[in-house]
Amino acid sequence: MNYEDKSDFEINKSVYALEFREQPKCHGEFIYHPKMCSEYDPCNNPRDSWPIIIENEITLFFGWGDCEVSFDYLSPCGVFGTHETLTHVINVSQAKVLRAAMICYLMKKEKECE
């Protein structure tokens, strides 16, 4: 699936469904976490994304400007899951590194279901 074309809201909904094994409670363009009584926004809020990043061994690399990520040489700019193989590489040339990490998480879960 091409997650790059999805909005933050759509990615957040997919992450919520996987993490909590239920469909999210949406109010307009917002997702609310019932136990925390707050907005759930892992694409933009480290409070929501960091536990997922740690649990799924997603690594964040920061670089300067545009860079390419390859399996042979990892430049300091990309997001990937260290679990087993480097099959979840995403070039992070955008400012939204948490969004890239959540896309990596969704790609990893998709790969596990194959």
Side-chain angles (χ1 to χ4, degrees), residues 63-74:
W64 299 283
D66 291 338
C67 64
E68 291 191 20
V69 177
S70 71
F71 294 114
D72 298 326
Y73 176 75
L74 289 173

Side-chain angles (χ1 to χ4, degrees), residues 29-78:
E29 287 289 309
F30 298 102
I31 300 169
Y32 286 95
H33 190 289
K35 292 182 181 175
M36 295 168 64
C37 296
S38 64
E39 182 182 350
Y40 184 76
D41 187 8
C43 283
N44 298 292
N45 190 333
R47 180 200 66 205
D48 298 325
S49 60
W50 201 248
I52 295 167
I53 291 168
I54 298 298
E55 182 180 320
N56 290 278
E57 300 177 340
I58 296 171
T59 303
L60 310 174
F61 285 94
F62 300 90
W64 299 283
D66 291 338
C67 64
E68 291 191 20
V69 177
S70 71
F71 294 114
D72 298 326
Y73 176 75
L74 289 173
S75 57
C77 168

